[in-house]
Amino acid sequence: MAEEMGRSPIGSEPFNCSAPDTGNMETIHLFGNEEQKEKWLKPLLNGEIRSCFCMTEPQVASSDATNMELSIERDGNQYVINGRKWWSSGAGDPRCKIAVVMGRTGGDSAPRHKRHSMILVPLDTPGVKKVRPLEVFGNVDAPHGHYEMAFENVRVPVGNMLLGEGRGFEIAQGRLGPGRIHHCMRAIGMAERALSMMCDRAMKREAFGRKLAMMGVVQHQIAESRIEIDQARLLTLKAAHLIDMYGTKSARKQVAMIKVVAPRMMCRVIDRAIQVHGGAGVCQDFPLSRMYAGARTLRIADGPDEVHLTSVALQELKHQMTMAKL
């Protein structure tokens, strides 16, 4: 279903499966208490409200999430939140009512991956400000929207903390793994649409006395696209199978692999489709330019390629060293 939804930019909307809502719903379902589920999960599941996810920060290299500086400090029966986030996907939607915010609660003496926490922040809380919408290659991505957000002395009840202080990275791994696989499934669907458009254009247009589809270079682009899509789909299905059978933690390497493979594949396929469409491929008459912007962005969103490649390499080295000792 996720692959089919990915064929259209609004494909996830009627199924209430849009990012970041699916990840946020899963987060509250897995790590929220009963009060949080009743107040926020039910209306999210019913499609009555929307949510955003606030993790990346403009002033630090957020590919290393331990750099996050937004502070979450306890003051009696409340937490006081101060800091700035950006690329808060979903914040631009007028239906967005709740944010899942990740910030620092622990001091330097705590282990690096125990210093951060996740907390629920209603967007109508005093001190929450939408600073500006961020453009993606010149597109504001309405109505979903990605915003820079400011949190200035924002106070929320202690009961809004998810799972407990210092559990942010634990939650992030549970949230981002399934979220990444959803992105990859949708990427495959979008690549399938781009390939279909490429073939349709090649069959209808003629140049130098013959259809584009009869030219060897175009045929090779079509063939390479089909091969790469099917390769990415099989790797994604393997990752999904491992999650179903053994859980997200056991599929970490495969999830990192597909997060590199699927967006790169999608970029290449859409780029070929644009080339076959010529000038039409980069104008508003076809969706390819916007599709490419989304595809290229996905190589950064939810972790850049380089972070995932490092993760795969370290896990592979560990595996090889273990096998060498047997």
Side-chain angles (χ1 to χ4, degrees):
M1 283 184 66
E3 180 179 329
E4 289 302 311
M5 285 186 263
R7 294 178 68 94
S8 168
I10 60 171
S12 299
E13 185 74 17
F15 298 95
N16 194 24
C17 289
S18 299
D21 291 314
T22 48
N24 288 342
M25 287 188 279
E26 191 160 6
T27 295
I28 300 173
H29 168 68
L30 292 174
F31 306 108
N33 57 40
E34 291 306 314
E35 182 181 350
Q36 292 166 348
K37 292 176 183 178
E38 183 68 28
K39 188 172 183 179
W40 300 113
L41 181 57
K42 282 189 176 181
L44 280 168
L45 288 170
N46 291 334
E48 298 166 3
I49 63 171
R50 290 300 168 92
S51 62
C52 66
F53 186 61
C54 302
M55 187 172 182
T56 305
E57 298 182 1
Q59 68 272 26
V60 296
S62 298
S63 55
D64 177 0
T66 62
N67 283 336
M68 283 186 291
E69 296 177 342
L70 177 137
S71 64
I72 305 172
E73 298 180 357
R74 184 158 183 170
D75 181 20
N77 62 353
Q78 294 181 322
Y79 282 106
V80 183
I81 303 168
N82 282 284
R84 191 164 289 233
K85 297 287 185 178
W86 72 342
W87 296 110
S88 300
S89 298
D93 195 314
R95 299 165 295 176
C96 184
K97 303 299 181 185
I98 185 70
V100 178
V101 181
M102 189 166 178
R104 182 161 177 161
T105 51
D108 292 340
S109 59
R112 289 183 67 208
H113 290 92
K114 297 290 185 181
R115 298 173 186 172
H116 294 79
S117 307
M118 286 196 191
I119 195 164
L120 298 172
V121 180
L123 289 195
D124 60 0
T125 306
V128 178
K129 298 180 181 179
K130 296 181 181 180
V131 178
R132 58 173 176 146
L134 299 170
E135 297 181 356
V136 182
F137 287 95
N139 193 312
V140 295
D141 205 13
H144 178 74
H146 313 278
Y147 265 72
E148 182 173 347
M149 306 282 289
F151 298 84
E152 300 174 357
N153 295 315
V154 175
R155 289 180 173 268
V156 298
V158 170
N160 283 26
M161 179 66 68
L162 286 166
L163 198 57
E165 289 190 19
R167 310 287 291 274
F169 281 96
E170 181 182 343
I171 297 171
Q173 288 304 314
R175 180 195 188 281
L176 294 175
R180 286 166 180 153
I181 202 167
H182 292 157
H183 276 312
C184 293
M185 291 171 177
R186 288 189 288 263
I188 293 166
M190 188 172 289
E192 284 283 9
R193 184 180 180 188
L195 176 56
S196 178
M197 292 175 65
M198 188 195 320
C199 292
D200 183 69
R201 186 76 169 182
M203 290 296 294
K204 292 178 178 177
R205 304 288 280 195
E206 291 189 7
F208 307 105
R210 55 179 174 159
K211 291 185 181 295
L212 297 182
M214 296 299 104
M215 297 180 176
V217 64
V218 175
Q219 292 174 350
H220 290 180
Q221 289 177 326
I222 291 169
E224 287 174 355
S225 297
R226 169 47 60 208
I227 291 167
E228 291 174 8
I229 290 172
D230 285 359
Q231 287 174 332
R233 179 184 290 110
L234 288 171
L235 192 57
T236 302
L237 287 171
K238 180 180 180 181
H241 174 71
L242 288 173
I243 290 176
D244 286 343
M245 294 296 294
Y246 307 110
T248 303
K249 188 174 182 179
S250 297
R252 281 181 57 220
K253 183 167 74 171
Q254 285 71 26
V255 170
M257 289 163 65
I258 63 169
K259 182 56 179 61
V260 174
V261 168
R264 285 184 174 183
M265 173 278 295
M266 179 169 55
C267 280
R268 289 192 295 267
V269 172
I270 296 171
D271 184 69
R272 293 177 191 129
I274 289 172
Q275 199 71 15
V276 171
H277 278 72
V282 296
C283 79
Q284 69 271 30
D285 289 357
F286 291 88
L288 290 168
S289 59
R290 185 170 180 179
M291 289 164 65
Y292 186 82
R296 185 60 185 85
T297 303
L298 195 56
R299 291 187 56 199
I300 300 172
D302 274 4
D305 289 1
E306 292 77 9
V307 169
H308 294 298
L309 288 169
T310 298
S311 176
V312 171
L314 291 174
Q315 291 179 77
E316 184 63 24
L317 287 167
K318 182 179 180 181
H319 171 72
Q320 293 293 344
M321 289 174 66
T322 301
M323 294 301 293
K325 294 177 181 178
L326 295 178

